[in-house]
Amino acid sequence: MRICKSLRIPFIIVVVVVLTAGCFGGNLGGDAKPAAGLEPVTLTFMLPQTHFKEFLKESIRQFEEEQENVKINVQVIPDNQWVNLIKTKVFTNETPDIVRIDKSVMMQIGTDRFVELEESEPWMERVIPAELESKRIDGKAYGLPVSSNSTIGIVYNKKLFSENGLEIPRSIEELWEVCRRFNELGIIPLYASDKDSWTTQTWFTSAAPQVAPEGTWDKLMTNRANWGDIGEFAQVLNDMVALRANGYTNRDYMIATYTSAVDAMSSGSAAMYVSGHFFINDVLKKNADIELGMAPMVYGDRITQIQSQGMFSIFKKSEHAELAKAFLDWFSQAENMDVFTNGWGYTPIFNDQKAALPEWLEILNRDYIRPGKVVPHVDSLLVGVDFMDFWGYQQELVAGDLTANETLQKWDEAYAQQMKNRKVPGWAE
């Protein structure tokens, strides 16, 4: 079933009704009108707060304008509650029609809760193969790919570095010196937004792969090592705390948010922030004239890369699964995906997309991605692990309530219980 621009989704609704009588078939098209008195249909769409960006709101408005009798009811969930709330919705059988979900979270919930998408879906043949494969589970597709491989590192203000004669730090020692210099200039060296725990953990999850001894991740997955046994991990956490303790971040880091980080970087009051593609794009929306770059974490010369996991997926409990599929097809069209991927600063996901990459992303591709100077992010190394507890422990760490060793010990306990609950090989009771 291919949805083209001339097709009215209300006609799909009529066909879905006919489908229940066993009369579905043929190719949809033309200027079909909804049946008289047809009630509007509402699709529910759940996603995390930071994902409900203006460009997505505009796309949803456009969809609703084109499809007269279809509405999208967006359920926006605070980021820190995201994973737990999805699990609660599944447990209580109150799932929406469509959800923005990562492969790792889907694996925690179970693929049996989601609609498996057949290879005959009209958008399948247009997906760049690597972007589809990175989201398959046991060889099967359970969602429309909506995120591409992206990088995480130190986002920096090029002008602040150049006009003050400073080089991008390549080691932790160089970072201390750069921070000291910016501090003297009255510029926030490295912004921290620890009210949002998902931003706090970015330092560790993008730095840990740079320092982990060979074989660490396999040992952690198979119960042959503990997180607290790896001294390099404790050092990375101690460095994160030291940045705050030495006054090299904003003083209000415990109440600062991702949004305030965007404001600080866009205004030029902060020189650096650890984040990903999406952050650069959000800053540029606030200040189109600012010049930003991204450098690797200061523990190596490779950029941290997250293998794309993001999908728009349909819950099996959806009463409008066919209509939800039609929405996914509409969203997959090149002109719609160009808006979406440009909004996030992603590379193309479909092979017929035409949008050009921004300069900063071209530089990343040239210097790191194409030459293969990348290291996988923790989420890509331990797919299916729920790190929400670890995020919270790191929030306690920077608040001064835990030491680095205590943080890792608490995470070891939560991690072990999670692996046992999932019955991962090597973790039997």
Side-chain angles (χ1 to χ4, degrees):
M1 179 173 67
R2 182 162 183 82
I3 309 300
C4 38
K5 276 194 158 184
S6 61
L7 177 65
R8 294 292 188 190
I9 289 286
F11 182 65
I12 299 174
I13 301 168
V14 175
V15 175
V16 172
V17 173
V18 173
L19 173 60
T20 64
C23 301
F24 178 66
N27 186 39
L28 299 178
D31 291 320
K33 300 296 182 183
L38 184 66
E39 290 294 325
V41 174
T42 298
L43 286 173
T44 51
F45 183 12
M46 192 169 76
L47 71 166
Q49 182 177 353
T50 51
H51 285 254
F52 195 36
K53 298 182 181 294
E54 285 302 321
F55 55 84
L56 179 56
K57 294 177 186 178
E58 182 55 37
S59 290
I60 290 173
R61 281 193 291 268
Q62 180 185 341
F63 174 81
E64 290 177 332
E65 288 173 4
E66 292 183 17
Q67 327 304 335
E68 297 168 355
N69 274 36
V70 184
K71 297 296 180 185
I72 305 289
N73 176 18
V74 181
Q75 302 173 353
V76 182
I77 309 302
D79 297 290
N80 290 348
Q81 301 172 23
W82 175 241
V83 175
N84 288 337
L85 191 61
I86 290 180
K87 292 177 179 178
T88 300
K89 291 280 189 181
V90 168
F91 181 76
T92 59
N93 289 316
E94 296 177 342
T95 50
D97 295 300
I98 305 169
V99 62
R100 193 280 176 201
I101 194 167
D102 284 338
K103 171 182 175 179
S104 59
V105 177
M106 182 180 287
M107 290 175 67
Q108 296 167 35
I109 295 171
T111 56
D112 59 316
R113 305 285 187 171
F114 298 87
V115 173
E116 180 185 345
L117 298 173
E118 302 294 334
E119 298 300 315
S120 58
E121 288 296 325
W123 48 265
M124 281 278 189
E125 62 184 16
R126 298 171 34 245
V127 185
I128 295 172
E131 298 296 350
L132 182 59
E133 290 305 314
S134 63
K135 298 164 188 68
R136 289 187 187 274
I137 300 175
D138 295 330
K140 299 176 181 178
Y142 293 93
L144 175 78
V146 294
S147 68
S148 59
N149 291 348
S150 59
T151 55
I152 289 183
I154 297 177
V155 178
Y156 62 93
N157 184 315
K158 290 184 176 182
K159 182 179 179 182
L160 289 180
F161 273 84
S162 62
E163 68 183 12
N164 291 294
L166 296 173
E167 297 291 331
I168 307 305
R170 303 295 182 184
S171 67
I172 193 67
E173 293 76 19
E174 290 181 8
L175 179 62
W176 299 141
E177 178 59 21
V178 165
C179 286
R180 184 186 66 79
R181 291 283 302 280
F182 276 126
N183 229 2
E184 292 173 351
L185 294 165
I187 298 167
I188 298 170
L190 182 72
Y191 202 89
S193 50
D194 297 321
K195 184 175 181 180
D196 291 331
S197 64
W198 69 271
T199 69
T200 304
Q201 57 83 35
T202 305
W203 175 275
F204 181 87
T205 50
S206 53
Q210 304 271 10
V211 303
E214 187 175 353
T216 293
W217 307 106
D218 182 58
K219 290 177 181 177
L220 287 171
M221 281 295 289
T222 55
N223 199 16
R224 291 181 292 124
N226 294 320
W227 293 76
D229 296 336
I230 301 164
E232 291 87 350
F233 288 174
Q235 186 57 55
V236 166
L237 291 175
N238 279 324
D239 290 342
M240 184 174 73
V241 173
L243 284 163
R244 291 153 176 79
N246 292 338
Y248 291 156
T249 66
N250 42 304
R251 294 180 183 275
D252 64 345
Y253 57 88
M254 284 308 300
I255 61 172
T257 64
Y258 174 83
T259 300
S260 62
V262 171
D263 292 340
M265 287 294 288
S266 64
S267 68
S269 61
M272 296 176 285
Y273 183 68
V274 177
S275 196
H277 281 176
F278 53 90
F279 178 76
I280 293 180
N281 209 58
D282 286 343
V283 172
L284 290 173
K285 283 182 181 154
K286 295 275 293 188
N287 182 357
D289 296 326
I290 199 165
E291 291 187 54
L292 301 178
M294 183 184 288
M297 296 297 290
V298 289
Y299 299 96
D301 61 353
R302 295 176 294 170
I303 201 82
T304 304
Q305 188 174 57
I306 300 180
Q307 293 179 343
S308 60
Q309 294 189 11
M311 301 176 277
F312 287 169
S313 299
I314 304 168
F315 275 107
K316 273 191 178 176
K317 290 284 186 180
S318 169
E319 296 180 359
H320 310 293
E322 291 302 314
L323 182 56
K325 286 183 182 180
F327 171 73
L328 297 189
D329 187 39
W330 179 91
F331 202 90
S332 79
Q333 300 310 306
E335 61 270 28
N336 300 324
M337 286 304 302
D338 278 343
V339 170
F340 189 77
T341 54
N342 276 357
W344 278 105
Y346 290 150
T347 53
I349 296 170
F350 290 83
N351 54 31
D352 55 350
Q353 288 185 242
K354 299 178 174 62
L357 298 180
E359 182 184 6
W360 62 267
L361 188 50
E362 283 287 9
I363 292 171
L364 268 180
N365 282 340
R366 181 195 70 199
D367 294 346
Y368 295 101
I369 298 171
R370 291 191 193 111
K373 295 178 65 175
V374 298
V375 61
H377 187 271
V378 167
D379 286 350
S380 301
L381 291 161
L382 302 179
V383 176
V385 173
D386 180 355
F387 287 99
M388 288 289 287
D389 287 338
F390 196 18
W391 294 8
Y393 301 149
Q394 291 177 63
Q395 203 173 32
E396 293 181 60
L397 168 68
V398 296
D401 297 330
L402 294 174
T403 66
N405 287 332
E406 289 169 344
T407 300
L408 291 169
Q409 287 167 8
K410 286 191 71 171
W411 172 233
D412 263 319
E413 294 172 7
Y415 177 73
Q417 189 59 55
Q418 181 183 157
M419 300 299 269
K420 289 173 183 176
N421 291 343
R422 291 175 51 201
K423 297 181 171 55
V424 174
W427 291 89
E429 293 283 1

